[in-house]
PDB file of all heavy atoms in Angstrom:
ATOM      1  N   GLY A 418      -6.129 -13.169 -25.269  1.00  0.00           N
ATOM      2  CA  GLY A 418      -5.427 -13.428 -26.473  1.00  0.00           C
ATOM      3  C   GLY A 418      -4.315 -14.441 -26.347  1.00  0.00           C
ATOM      4  O   GLY A 418      -4.147 -15.019 -25.236  1.00  0.00           O
ATOM      5  N   GLU A 419      -3.564 -14.674 -27.373  1.00  0.00           N
ATOM      6  CA  GLU A 419      -2.510 -15.657 -27.317  1.00  0.00           C
ATOM      7  C   GLU A 419      -1.352 -15.222 -26.463  1.00  0.00           C
ATOM      8  O   GLU A 419      -0.944 -14.025 -26.542  1.00  0.00           O
ATOM      9  CB  GLU A 419      -2.061 -15.970 -28.766  1.00  0.00           C
ATOM     10  CG  GLU A 419      -3.053 -16.663 -29.649  1.00  0.00           C
ATOM     11  CD  GLU A 419      -2.501 -17.000 -31.021  1.00  0.00           C
ATOM     12  OE1 GLU A 419      -2.001 -16.020 -31.700  1.00  0.00           O
ATOM     13  OE2 GLU A 419      -2.551 -18.178 -31.401  1.00  0.00           O
ATOM     14  N   VAL A 420      -0.796 -16.128 -25.660  1.00  0.00           N
ATOM     15  CA  VAL A 420       0.325 -15.861 -24.780  1.00  0.00           C
ATOM     16  C   VAL A 420       1.297 -17.020 -24.981  1.00  0.00           C
ATOM     17  O   VAL A 420       1.012 -18.055 -25.599  1.00  0.00           O
ATOM     18  CB  VAL A 420      -0.043 -15.671 -23.288  1.00  0.00           C
ATOM     19  CG1 VAL A 420      -0.883 -14.449 -23.089  1.00  0.00           C
ATOM     20  CG2 VAL A 420      -0.791 -16.883 -22.782  1.00  0.00           C
ATOM     21  N   LEU A 421       2.496 -16.820 -24.387  1.00  0.00           N
ATOM     22  CA  LEU A 421       3.478 -17.815 -24.502  1.00  0.00           C
ATOM     23  C   LEU A 421       3.338 -18.865 -23.352  1.00  0.00           C
ATOM     24  O   LEU A 421       3.373 -18.482 -22.195  1.00  0.00           O
ATOM     25  CB  LEU A 421       4.907 -17.191 -24.345  1.00  0.00           C
ATOM     26  CG  LEU A 421       5.154 -15.964 -25.286  1.00  0.00           C
ATOM     27  CD1 LEU A 421       6.587 -15.365 -24.928  1.00  0.00           C
ATOM     28  CD2 LEU A 421       5.002 -16.333 -26.736  1.00  0.00           C
ATOM     29  N   GLU A 422       3.099 -20.137 -23.763  1.00  0.00           N
ATOM     30  CA  GLU A 422       2.887 -21.188 -22.783  1.00  0.00           C
ATOM     31  C   GLU A 422       4.244 -21.827 -22.421  1.00  0.00           C
ATOM     32  O   GLU A 422       4.624 -22.904 -22.875  1.00  0.00           O
ATOM     33  CB  GLU A 422       1.947 -22.243 -23.375  1.00  0.00           C
ATOM     34  CG  GLU A 422       0.540 -21.665 -23.611  1.00  0.00           C
ATOM     35  CD  GLU A 422      -0.384 -22.614 -24.200  1.00  0.00           C
ATOM     36  OE1 GLU A 422      -0.051 -23.803 -24.308  1.00  0.00           O
ATOM     37  OE2 GLU A 422      -1.534 -22.317 -24.500  1.00  0.00           O
ATOM     38  N   ILE A 423       5.011 -21.075 -21.597  1.00  0.00           N
ATOM     39  CA  ILE A 423       6.417 -21.496 -21.287  1.00  0.00           C
ATOM     40  C   ILE A 423       6.573 -21.724 -19.760  1.00  0.00           C
ATOM     41  O   ILE A 423       7.719 -21.701 -19.306  1.00  0.00           O
ATOM     42  CB  ILE A 423       7.405 -20.429 -21.807  1.00  0.00           C
ATOM     43  CG1 ILE A 423       7.052 -19.048 -21.228  1.00  0.00           C
ATOM     44  CG2 ILE A 423       7.501 -20.403 -23.312  1.00  0.00           C
ATOM     45  CD1 ILE A 423       8.034 -17.968 -21.620  1.00  0.00           C
ATOM     46  N   GLY A 424       5.524 -21.913 -19.080  1.00  0.00           N
ATOM     47  CA  GLY A 424       5.646 -22.152 -17.676  1.00  0.00           C
ATOM     48  C   GLY A 424       5.944 -20.963 -16.835  1.00  0.00           C
ATOM     49  O   GLY A 424       6.481 -21.043 -15.712  1.00  0.00           O
ATOM     50  N   ASN A 425       5.505 -19.769 -17.289  1.00  0.00           N
ATOM     51  CA  ASN A 425       5.706 -18.497 -16.607  1.00  0.00           C
ATOM     52  C   ASN A 425       4.343 -17.770 -16.557  1.00  0.00           C
ATOM     53  O   ASN A 425       3.475 -18.107 -17.306  1.00  0.00           O
ATOM     54  CB  ASN A 425       6.676 -17.546 -17.363  1.00  0.00           C
ATOM     55  CG  ASN A 425       8.099 -18.115 -17.340  1.00  0.00           C
ATOM     56  OD1 ASN A 425       9.017 -17.528 -17.953  1.00  0.00           O
ATOM     57  ND2 ASN A 425       8.367 -19.215 -16.694  1.00  0.00           N
ATOM     58  N   THR A 426       4.288 -16.751 -15.691  1.00  0.00           N
ATOM     59  CA  THR A 426       3.165 -15.870 -15.749  1.00  0.00           C
ATOM     60  C   THR A 426       3.335 -15.071 -17.128  1.00  0.00           C
ATOM     61  O   THR A 426       4.402 -14.744 -17.497  1.00  0.00           O
ATOM     62  CB  THR A 426       3.098 -14.877 -14.605  1.00  0.00           C
ATOM     63  OG1 THR A 426       4.300 -14.138 -14.565  1.00  0.00           O
ATOM     64  CG2 THR A 426       2.903 -15.605 -13.304  1.00  0.00           C
ATOM     65  N   ASN A 427       2.191 -14.743 -17.726  1.00  0.00           N
ATOM     66  CA  ASN A 427       2.235 -14.079 -19.065  1.00  0.00           C
ATOM     67  C   ASN A 427       0.868 -13.432 -19.349  1.00  0.00           C
ATOM     68  O   ASN A 427      -0.175 -14.120 -19.262  1.00  0.00           O
ATOM     69  CB  ASN A 427       2.587 -15.149 -20.139  1.00  0.00           C
ATOM     70  CG  ASN A 427       3.221 -14.586 -21.299  1.00  0.00           C
ATOM     71  OD1 ASN A 427       2.713 -13.563 -21.838  1.00  0.00           O
ATOM     72  ND2 ASN A 427       4.334 -15.159 -21.772  1.00  0.00           N
ATOM     73  N   SER A 428       0.880 -12.166 -19.664  1.00  0.00           N
ATOM     74  CA  SER A 428      -0.311 -11.440 -19.939  1.00  0.00           C
ATOM     75  C   SER A 428      -0.144 -10.420 -20.985  1.00  0.00           C
ATOM     76  O   SER A 428       0.988  -9.984 -21.371  1.00  0.00           O
ATOM     77  CB  SER A 428      -0.912 -10.770 -18.670  1.00  0.00           C
ATOM     78  OG  SER A 428      -1.387 -11.706 -17.762  1.00  0.00           O
ATOM     79  N   ARG A 429      -1.305  -9.982 -21.596  1.00  0.00           N
ATOM     80  CA  ARG A 429      -1.274  -9.029 -22.632  1.00  0.00           C
ATOM     81  C   ARG A 429      -1.919  -7.752 -22.049  1.00  0.00           C
ATOM     82  O   ARG A 429      -3.037  -7.788 -21.597  1.00  0.00           O
ATOM     83  CB  ARG A 429      -2.078  -9.513 -23.816  1.00  0.00           C
ATOM     84  CG  ARG A 429      -1.584 -10.746 -24.467  1.00  0.00           C
ATOM     85  CD  ARG A 429      -2.638 -11.501 -25.226  1.00  0.00           C
ATOM     86  NE  ARG A 429      -3.187 -10.774 -26.358  1.00  0.00           N
ATOM     87  CZ  ARG A 429      -2.643 -10.733 -27.590  1.00  0.00           C
ATOM     88  NH1 ARG A 429      -1.541 -11.433 -27.853  1.00  0.00           N
ATOM     89  NH2 ARG A 429      -3.213 -10.000 -28.598  1.00  0.00           N
ATOM     90  N   TYR A 430      -1.228  -6.594 -22.171  1.00  0.00           N
ATOM     91  CA  TYR A 430      -1.685  -5.363 -21.538  1.00  0.00           C
ATOM     92  C   TYR A 430      -1.886  -4.308 -22.629  1.00  0.00           C
ATOM     93  O   TYR A 430      -1.011  -4.091 -23.474  1.00  0.00           O
ATOM     94  CB  TYR A 430      -0.727  -4.913 -20.449  1.00  0.00           C
ATOM     95  CG  TYR A 430      -0.612  -5.841 -19.326  1.00  0.00           C
ATOM     96  CD1 TYR A 430       0.632  -6.489 -19.069  1.00  0.00           C
ATOM     97  CD2 TYR A 430      -1.689  -6.168 -18.545  1.00  0.00           C
ATOM     98  CE1 TYR A 430       0.759  -7.323 -17.987  1.00  0.00           C
ATOM     99  CE2 TYR A 430      -1.563  -7.069 -17.452  1.00  0.00           C
ATOM    100  CZ  TYR A 430      -0.373  -7.645 -17.242  1.00  0.00           C
ATOM    101  OH  TYR A 430      -0.173  -8.565 -16.185  1.00  0.00           O
ATOM    102  N   ARG A 431      -3.012  -3.583 -22.520  1.00  0.00           N
ATOM    103  CA  ARG A 431      -3.291  -2.460 -23.365  1.00  0.00           C
ATOM    104  C   ARG A 431      -3.272  -1.202 -22.526  1.00  0.00           C
ATOM    105  O   ARG A 431      -3.851  -1.241 -21.388  1.00  0.00           O
ATOM    106  CB  ARG A 431      -4.651  -2.656 -24.064  1.00  0.00           C
ATOM    107  CG  ARG A 431      -5.087  -1.434 -24.905  1.00  0.00           C
ATOM    108  CD  ARG A 431      -6.320  -1.758 -25.744  1.00  0.00           C
ATOM    109  NE  ARG A 431      -5.988  -2.668 -26.868  1.00  0.00           N
ATOM    110  CZ  ARG A 431      -6.601  -3.860 -27.019  1.00  0.00           C
ATOM    111  NH1 ARG A 431      -7.484  -4.296 -26.157  1.00  0.00           N
ATOM    112  NH2 ARG A 431      -6.256  -4.620 -28.017  1.00  0.00           N
ATOM    113  N   PHE A 432      -2.676  -0.147 -23.055  1.00  0.00           N
ATOM    114  CA  PHE A 432      -2.643   1.115 -22.426  1.00  0.00           C
ATOM    115  C   PHE A 432      -3.276   2.202 -23.302  1.00  0.00           C
ATOM    116  O   PHE A 432      -3.145   2.172 -24.513  1.00  0.00           O
ATOM    117  CB  PHE A 432      -1.189   1.480 -22.035  1.00  0.00           C
ATOM    118  CG  PHE A 432      -0.510   0.540 -21.174  1.00  0.00           C
ATOM    119  CD1 PHE A 432       0.236  -0.519 -21.646  1.00  0.00           C
ATOM    120  CD2 PHE A 432      -0.748   0.562 -19.796  1.00  0.00           C
ATOM    121  CE1 PHE A 432       0.816  -1.472 -20.884  1.00  0.00           C
ATOM    122  CE2 PHE A 432      -0.172  -0.371 -18.952  1.00  0.00           C
ATOM    123  CZ  PHE A 432       0.585  -1.376 -19.491  1.00  0.00           C
ATOM    124  N   SER A 433      -3.925   3.192 -22.625  1.00  0.00           N
ATOM    125  CA  SER A 433      -4.688   4.182 -23.443  1.00  0.00           C
ATOM    126  C   SER A 433      -3.720   5.036 -24.305  1.00  0.00           C
ATOM    127  O   SER A 433      -4.188   5.505 -25.416  1.00  0.00           O
ATOM    128  CB  SER A 433      -5.410   5.102 -22.445  1.00  0.00           C
ATOM    129  OG  SER A 433      -4.537   5.820 -21.607  1.00  0.00           O
ATOM    130  N   ILE A 434      -2.469   5.146 -23.987  1.00  0.00           N
ATOM    131  CA  ILE A 434      -1.545   5.950 -24.789  1.00  0.00           C
ATOM    132  C   ILE A 434      -0.849   5.048 -25.825  1.00  0.00           C
ATOM    133  O   ILE A 434      -0.004   5.573 -26.567  1.00  0.00           O
ATOM    134  CB  ILE A 434      -0.535   6.648 -23.907  1.00  0.00           C
ATOM    135  CG1 ILE A 434       0.272   5.645 -23.022  1.00  0.00           C
ATOM    136  CG2 ILE A 434      -1.142   7.679 -23.038  1.00  0.00           C
ATOM    137  CD1 ILE A 434       1.385   6.255 -22.260  1.00  0.00           C
ATOM    138  N   GLY A 435      -1.180   3.807 -25.887  1.00  0.00           N
ATOM    139  CA  GLY A 435      -0.575   2.952 -26.885  1.00  0.00           C
ATOM    140  C   GLY A 435       0.745   2.334 -26.355  1.00  0.00           C
ATOM    141  O   GLY A 435       1.371   2.840 -25.471  1.00  0.00           O
ATOM    142  N   ALA A 436       1.093   1.173 -26.947  1.00  0.00           N
ATOM    143  CA  ALA A 436       2.243   0.385 -26.462  1.00  0.00           C
ATOM    144  C   ALA A 436       3.574   1.131 -26.594  1.00  0.00           C
ATOM    145  O   ALA A 436       4.382   1.145 -25.735  1.00  0.00           O
ATOM    146  CB  ALA A 436       2.308  -0.943 -27.123  1.00  0.00           C
ATOM    147  N   ARG A 437       3.771   1.733 -27.790  1.00  0.00           N
ATOM    148  CA  ARG A 437       5.035   2.420 -27.976  1.00  0.00           C
ATOM    149  C   ARG A 437       5.248   3.580 -26.999  1.00  0.00           C
ATOM    150  O   ARG A 437       6.288   3.686 -26.357  1.00  0.00           O
ATOM    151  CB  ARG A 437       5.087   2.990 -29.401  1.00  0.00           C
ATOM    152  CG  ARG A 437       5.008   1.957 -30.556  1.00  0.00           C
ATOM    153  CD  ARG A 437       4.821   2.733 -31.881  1.00  0.00           C
ATOM    154  NE  ARG A 437       4.428   1.823 -32.950  1.00  0.00           N
ATOM    155  CZ  ARG A 437       5.253   1.383 -33.867  1.00  0.00           C
ATOM    156  NH1 ARG A 437       6.520   1.697 -33.791  1.00  0.00           N
ATOM    157  NH2 ARG A 437       4.835   0.576 -34.823  1.00  0.00           N
TER     158      ARG A 437
END
Side-chain angles (χ1 to χ4, degrees):
E419 293 182 305
V420 293
L421 310 177
E422 297 179 6
I423 55 174
N425 293 176
T426 59
N427 205 310
S428 288
R429 299 158 62 87
Y430 298 116
R431 176 173 287 121
F432 299 95
S433 61
I434 58 176
R437 298 171 192 259

